[in-house]
C-alpha cells in the first residue's frame, strides 16, 4: 500500500471510529424534555406528604386543568400567571379575555379538587363544598389559589375552619 | 529581486504577512459576542463582520494579483500591508457596526494585495516555486487555524478592539523587509514577474478549496458559538479549547511532509474534516473534553487539505500571483457561502432550542419536590430571564440565587438546578448539531472535486 492510500485509510478509520463512538455514546439520541399534554391525567407526584404535599398536587392539577381549558401548556400558563405583566402579554397573544381566563382557572381548581378526591387525599364530604366554592371564585383569588393552594387547604379565609378538618383527615 | 538559500528575514516577513491576513478571516470569531453586545446589533448583523472581510477578499483577490503584477509585487505587498494596517486601526476605533464593516472591507482589500503579491515574491526569496507554494500555503493554513484562539485571548485580556490594533505594528513590521524589493522595483523599473501569461485557474482544486473552506469556517464559527453562547465559556476559555485545532494543524503539516501525493493528502484531509465535524454534530454530552477528539481530526484535516489543494491549484501554473489569487478567492468565497448558508440554520435551531429550554426548565421546576410557592417564584424568574436573554440559548442557572437557607430545601434546589442546567446544556449542544452535520456533509462532498483534481507538472 502506498503512503497516500495508507493515509486515506487511516483518515477513514479515524473518522468512522469517532462518529461511531459518539453516536453509540448517545450523541444521536438526544430527546428534549417533552411538555406533557395538560388534558391527559397527570401521574401522581412524589410529594412531601401532609398538607404541603397536597397543596403541591393541588397546584399542579389546577394548572393542568386551566391550561387544558385554554389549549396551552401548563408550563406556559405557569409563567403567564407569575406576574400581572406576564399575564397581560399572555392574554393578548392568545386573545383570551378575563371571562375566558376566569372560567379556565375555575375549571382548573375544580379538576384539582376532583383529582384530590379521586386519589383519596380529601374526603368526599369536604370535596363538595370546596368544589362549589372554587366554581364561583373571582379571577384574582382563583389565581392566588392556584399559586398557593395551602390557602384553600389550610383554613385560610376561603374555607374558614375547613382546612383544619382536612388536615386532620389526611391519610 | 534577489534569490537566497540562507535564512532570509524576507521569507519570515512574507509568511507573517500571509499568516496575519488569512488569520483575519477567522480572528474575530471569538470576539463576535462582545462586538454583538458593544455595538448593539443582531446575530445576523454581527456575522457580517466576518462575511464582509471574506467577501471582499473573494472578490478582490484576482484583481489584486493583477495589480501586484502591474505595479510590482514588492510595492504591492508594502502598500497592501500599509492599507491593511491603516484599516485595522479604523476597525479598532469603530464604535458602530457600519464603520466597522467598511473598515473590515478596506482591510480585506489591502490584505488581498499583500497576500497575492507575497506569492509572487516568494519563489525568488526561497529559491523555488514549489517551496514558495508550500511556505505560502502553510502560512495561510496556520494563520486561519490560529486566528480564533489569538482573537479569543485578546478579547478576554484586553478588548475586541485590540484584535485589530495589534495587527497594525505586526503588519508594518512585516512590510519593512519587503520595502527593499519595493525600492529596487522603483529604482530599476524592472518588474520581473511580468514575464509569463496567466493560464486558466485549476477548476476542481479551487472548487474543492471553496467547499472545504465553507466546512472549516463552519467548524470554527459554530464551535466558538457553541462554547460561548451555548456552554457559556469565557472568550479566553473558548480560546484555550479551540487552540486544539491549530496544535493539531501542526501535526497535519508534519504528516503532509511524509506523503507526496497531493490528492491523497487532500482526500485524507477532507475525510478527517468531515469526521471531526460529524463528531461535533454527535457530541454525546455537553463536555469540553469531548470536543477535543473532533477538533484534532478537524485540525489535522484542514492542514492536510488546504495545503494539498493550494499546491495542486498552483502547480505548473503561472503566474503564481494570479493563481494564488484564485485560491484566495475560492477559499474566501467558500467561507462566505458557508457562513451565509449556515447562519439561518443555526439561528433558527437556537430559537427553537430557546423555546424548548424554557419549557423544559419550567417543566422540571413544576415537577420538582419543592414548595409550590417557590416553584412559581422560579417560573417568574425564568420568564424575566427569558426577556433578558432574547435571541440566545438561555442560561437559567443563576435564577436559583439566592439559595434557600433551609438545609433540606437548599439541597433540593441545588439538585434541581443541576438537573436543569444539564437539560439546557444538552439542548444547546443539540441546537448546533444540524449545522455541524451540514458542514460535515459539505466536507465529504469536497471529495468529488478532489477526485477530479489532477496536478499539472511542468
Amino acid at each position: 500500500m502506498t503512503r497516500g492510500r495508507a493515509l486515506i485509510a487511516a483518515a477513514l478509520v479515524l473518522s468512522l471510529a469517532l462518529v461511531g463512538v459518539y453516536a453509540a455514546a448517545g450523541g444521536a439520541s438526544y430527546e428534549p424534555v417533552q411538555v406533557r399534554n395538560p388534558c391527559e391525567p397527570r401521574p401522581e407526584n412524589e410529594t412531601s406528604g401532609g398538607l404541603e404535599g397536597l397543596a403541591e398536587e393541588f397546584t399542579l392539577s389546577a394548572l393542568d386543568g386551566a391550561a387544558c381549558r385554554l389549549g396551552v401548556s401548563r408550563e406556559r400558563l405557569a409563567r403567564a400567571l407569575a406576574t400581572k405583566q406576564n399575564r397581560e402579554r399572555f392574554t393578548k397573544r392568545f386573545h383570551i379575555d378575563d371571562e375566558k381566563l376566569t372560567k379556565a382557572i375555575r375549571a382548573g381548581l375544580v379538576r384539582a379538587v376532583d383529582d384530590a378526591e379521586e386519589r383519596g387525599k380529601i374526603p368526599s364530604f369536604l370535596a363538595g363544598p370546596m368544589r362549589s366554592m372554587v366554581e364561583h371564585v373571582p379571577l384574582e383569588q382563583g389565581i392566588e389559589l392556584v399559586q398557593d393552594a395551602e390557602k384553600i387547604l389550610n383554613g385560610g379565609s376561603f374555607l374558614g375552619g375547613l382546612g383544619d378538618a382536612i388536615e386532620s383527615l389526611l391519610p | 529581486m534577489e534569490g537566497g538559500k540562507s535564512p532570509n528575514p524576507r521569507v519570515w516577513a512574507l509568511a507573517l504577512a500571509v499568516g496575519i491576513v488569512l488569520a483575519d478571516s477567522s480572528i474575530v470569531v471569538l470576539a463576535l459576542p462582545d462586538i454583538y453586545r458593544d455595538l448593539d446589533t443582531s446575530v445576523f448583523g454581527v456575522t457580517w463582520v466576518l462575511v464582509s472581510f471574506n467577501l471582499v477578499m473573494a472578490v478582490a483577490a484576482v484583481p489584486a494579483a493583477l495589480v501586484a503584477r502591474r505595479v510590482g509585487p514588492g510595492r504591492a505587498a508594502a502598500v497592501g500591508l500599509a492599507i491593511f494596517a491603516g484599516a485595522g486601526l479604523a476597525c479598532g476605533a469603530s464604535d458602530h457596526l457600519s464603520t466597522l464593516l467598511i473598515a473590515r472591507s478596506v482591510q480585506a482589500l489591502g490584505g488581498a494585495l499583500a497576500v497575492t503579491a507575497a506569492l509572487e515574491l516568494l519563489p525568488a526569496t526561497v529559491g523555488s516555486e514549489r517551496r514558495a507554494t508550500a511556505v505560502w500555503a502553510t502560512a495561510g493554513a496556520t494563520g486561519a487555524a490560529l486566528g480564533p484562539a489569538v482573537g479569543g485571548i485578546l478579547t478576554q485580556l484586553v478588548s475586541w478592539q485590540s484584535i485589530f490594533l495589534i495587527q497594525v505594528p505586526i503588519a508594518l513590521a512585516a512590510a519593512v523587509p519587503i520595502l527593499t524589493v519595493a525600492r529596487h522595483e522603483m529604482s530599476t523599473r524592472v518588474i520581473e514577474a511580468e514575464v509569463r501569461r496567466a493560464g486558466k485557474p485549476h477548476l476542481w482544486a479551487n472548487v474543492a478549496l471553496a467547499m472545504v473552506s465553507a466546512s472549516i469556517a463552519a467548524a470554527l464559527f459554530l464551535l466558538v458559538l457553541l462554547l460561548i453562547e451555548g456552554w457559556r465559556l469565557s472568550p479566553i476559555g473558548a480560546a484555550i479549547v479551540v487552540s486544539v485545532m491549530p496544535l493539531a494543524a501542526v501535526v497535519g503539516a508534519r504528516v503532509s511532509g511524509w506523503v507526496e501525493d497531493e490528492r491523497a493528502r487532500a482526500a485524507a484531509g477532507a475525510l478527517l474534516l468531515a469526521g471531526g465535524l460529524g463528531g461535533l454534530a454527535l457530541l454525546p454530552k455537553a463536555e469540553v473534553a469531548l470536543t477535543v477528539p473532533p477538533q484534532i481530526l478537524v485540525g489535522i484535516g484542514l492542514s492536510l487539505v488546504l495545503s494539498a489543494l493550494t499546491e495542486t491549484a498552483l502547480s505548473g501554473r503561472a503566474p503564481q500571483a494570479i493563481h494564488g489569487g484564485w485560491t484566495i478567492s475560492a477559499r474566501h468565497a467558500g467561507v462566505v457561502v458557508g457562513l451565509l448558508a449556515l447562519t439561518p440554520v443555526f439561528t433558527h435551531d437556537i430559537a427553537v432550542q430557546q423555546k424548548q429550554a424554557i419549557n423544559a426548565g419550567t417543566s422540571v421546576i413544576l415537577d420538582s419536590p419543592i414548595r409550590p410557592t417557590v416553584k412559581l417564584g422560579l417560573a417568574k424568574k425564568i420568564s424575566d430571564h427569558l426577556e433578558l436573554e432574547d435571541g440566545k440559548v438561555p442560561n437559567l442557572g443563576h435564577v436559583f440565587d439566592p439559595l434557600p437557607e433551609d438545609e433540606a430545601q437548599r439541597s433540593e434546589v441545588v439538585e434541581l438546578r443541576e438537573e436543569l442546567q444539564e437539560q439546557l446544556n444538552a439542548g444547546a449542544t443539540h441546537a448546533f448539531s444540524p449545522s455541524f452535520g451540514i458542514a460535515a456533509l459539505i466536507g465529504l462532498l469536497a471529495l468529488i472535486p478532489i477526485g477530479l483534481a489532477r496536478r499539472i507538472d511542468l
Side-chain angles (χ1 to χ4, degrees):
Chain A
M1 191 188 272
T2 62
R3 280 187 178 184
R5 284 187 181 175
L7 183 65
I8 292 174
L12 190 61
V13 169
L14 281 171
S15 297
L16 288 176
L18 179 78
V19 169
V21 167
Y22 275 30
S29 59
Y30 168 77
E31 280 289 331
V33 168
Q34 294 298 320
V35 173
R36 219 180 22 238
N37 180 357
C39 299
E40 285 175 6
R42 198 174 52 78
E44 212 169 329
N45 262 25
E46 273 185 37
T47 58
S48 47
L51 198 62
E52 201 177 289
L54 178 57
E56 189 185 330
E57 286 280 315
F58 197 92
T59 293
L60 293 177
S61 284
L63 276 175
D64 274 339
C68 173
R69 176 65 75 95
L70 292 170
V72 297
S73 70
R74 68 170 180 155
E75 285 74 13
R76 179 172 279 281
L77 183 63
R79 293 196 301 271
L81 297 183
T83 63
K84 198 154 189 173
Q85 200 185 6
N86 285 7
R87 197 168 92 204
E88 279 167 8
R89 217 171 13 220
F90 169 79
T91 50
K92 197 173 167 188
R93 181 169 172 192
F94 290 93
H95 309 291
I96 296 167
D97 57 22
D98 271 4
E99 195 189 333
K100 195 173 173 186
L101 186 61
T102 308
K103 281 182 180 169
I105 294 291
R106 285 173 183 166
L109 290 167
V110 168
R111 174 163 158 185
V113 176
D114 291 347
D115 285 352
E117 186 187 6
E118 206 171 291
R119 287 170 186 165
K121 297 283 171 73
I122 52 171
S124 300
F125 72 88
L126 287 180
M130 283 174 81
R131 207 175 281 116
S132 344
M133 188 276 288
V134 296
E135 271 170 354
H136 299 96
V137 73
L139 179 61
E140 296 301 331
Q141 274 185 343
I143 291 171
E144 215 179 310
L145 287 178
V146 171
Q147 290 173 331
D148 188 2
E150 280 191 55
K151 279 189 178 165
I152 195 173
L153 303 164
N154 199 20
S157 56
F158 299 102
L159 291 176
L162 208 56
D164 297 333
I166 292 171
E167 191 155 22
S168 66
L169 289 165
L170 278 174
Chain B
M1 282 193 284
E2 66 185 37
K5 287 175 184 173
S6 58
N8 187 336
R10 202 186 302 152
V11 179
W12 288 105
L14 291 169
L16 184 64
V18 173
I20 195 172
V21 171
L22 295 187
D24 223 44
S25 70
S26 59
I27 201 164
V28 288
V29 168
L30 274 157
L32 292 181
D34 278 40
I35 297 173
Y36 173 85
R37 279 186 283 273
D38 275 12
L39 302 185
D40 194 23
T41 178
S42 63
V43 171
F44 189 72
V46 86
T47 310
W48 274 87
V49 179
L50 274 180
V51 171
S52 60
F53 182 89
N54 286 288
L55 186 61
V56 174
M57 280 289 273
V59 173
V62 176
L66 288 167
V67 170
R69 289 180 53 71
R70 184 167 286 274
V71 302
R75 267 185 281 180
V79 170
L81 284 169
I83 294 172
F84 183 83
L89 203 60
C91 287
S94 297
D95 56 2
H96 196 272
L97 185 67
S98 57
T99 50
L100 179 59
L101 295 184
I102 292 167
R104 285 282 285 163
S105 303
V106 176
Q107 215 186 9
L109 278 177
L113 202 55
V115 169
T116 49
L119 185 56
E120 198 72 7
L121 289 169
L122 270 168
T125 315
V126 298
S128 86
E129 209 162 74
R130 192 182 175 104
R131 191 161 138 62
T133 307
V135 169
W136 191 75
T138 307
T142 309
L146 269 175
V150 173
I153 291 167
L154 285 169
T155 302
Q156 174 93 30
L157 294 182
V158 193
S159 64
W160 65 263
Q161 289 90 344
S162 68
I163 292 174
F164 301 109
L165 298 177
I166 205 162
Q167 291 173 346
V168 177
I170 296 173
L172 294 177
V176 172
I178 300 165
L179 283 174
T180 325
V181 187
R183 275 198 218 104
H184 174 74
E185 286 168 357
M186 287 175 83
S187 61
T188 60
R189 298 194 175 197
V190 171
I191 299 165
E192 291 177 32
E194 275 191 340
V195 291
R196 289 180 289 186
R197 288 180 62 239
K200 280 186 183 174
H202 195 309
L203 177 67
W204 294 118
N206 282 309
V207 168
L209 262 178
M211 291 173 80
V212 295
S213 297
S215 198
I216 293 164
L220 291 171
F221 188 51
L222 293 171
L223 182 58
V224 162
L225 273 178
L226 172 64
L227 294 172
I228 294 187
E229 295 298 308
W231 297 354
R232 302 276 162 174
L233 262 68
S234 63
I236 203 162
I240 291 166
V241 175
V242 299
S243 65
V244 172
M245 266 191 264
L247 290 175
V250 174
V251 177
R254 296 296 293 262
V255 175
S256 283
W258 299 336
V259 181
E260 278 214 8
D261 184 347
E262 281 148 3
R263 266 204 300 175
R265 276 192 279 140
L271 281 170
L272 289 171
L273 185 63
L277 283 160
L280 290 170
L282 295 170
L283 285 171
K285 264 187 174 180
E287 274 179 25
V288 166
L290 289 170
T291 69
V292 173
Q295 281 196 75
I296 291 173
L297 295 202
V298 170
I300 298 175
L302 79 87
S303 170
L304 284 172
V305 73
L306 285 182
S307 59
L309 287 173
T310 307
E311 287 169 34
T312 306
L314 294 179
S315 161
R317 286 169 199 267
Q320 291 277 286
I322 305 290
H323 291 285
W326 281 112
T327 66
I328 293 292
S329 186
R331 276 177 64 169
H332 289 84
V335 172
V336 170
V337 171
L339 290 175
L340 290 183
L342 287 176
T343 302
V345 176
F346 73 77
T347 46
H348 169 264
D349 288 342
I350 289 174
V352 170
Q353 162 53 29
Q354 188 186 22
K355 279 184 192 161
Q356 282 179 349
I358 296 304
N359 278 335
T362 315
S363 187
V364 168
I365 286 171
L366 289 177
D367 286 330
S368 69
I370 55 176
R371 286 174 67 89
T373 44
V374 178
K375 281 180 189 181
L376 295 165
L378 286 172
K380 176 189 178 305
K381 281 189 181 176
I382 288 179
S383 190
D384 293 346
H385 194 69
L386 173 62
E387 284 179 32
L388 290 173
E389 296 285 305
D390 188 30
K392 296 177 192 172
V393 175
N395 174 12
L396 299 178
H398 57 266
V399 302
F400 293 87
D401 296 332
L403 291 169
E405 285 181 10
D406 176 72
E407 192 64 35
Q409 274 215 6
R410 191 187 180 88
S411 68
E412 275 171 0
V413 171
V414 168
E415 200 177 305
L416 176 63
R417 185 177 64 185
E418 279 164 14
E419 187 188 341
L420 186 53
Q421 198 57 61
E422 206 172 294
Q423 280 289 335
L424 292 174
N425 286 345
T429 307
H430 179 73
F432 288 84
S433 294
S435 302
F436 277 127
I438 293 169
L441 189 65
I442 296 170
L444 209 55
L445 288 174
L447 286 170
I448 298 169
I450 287 170
L452 295 167
R454 285 179 189 280
R455 182 189 167 88
I456 301 170
D457 281 312
L458 284 176

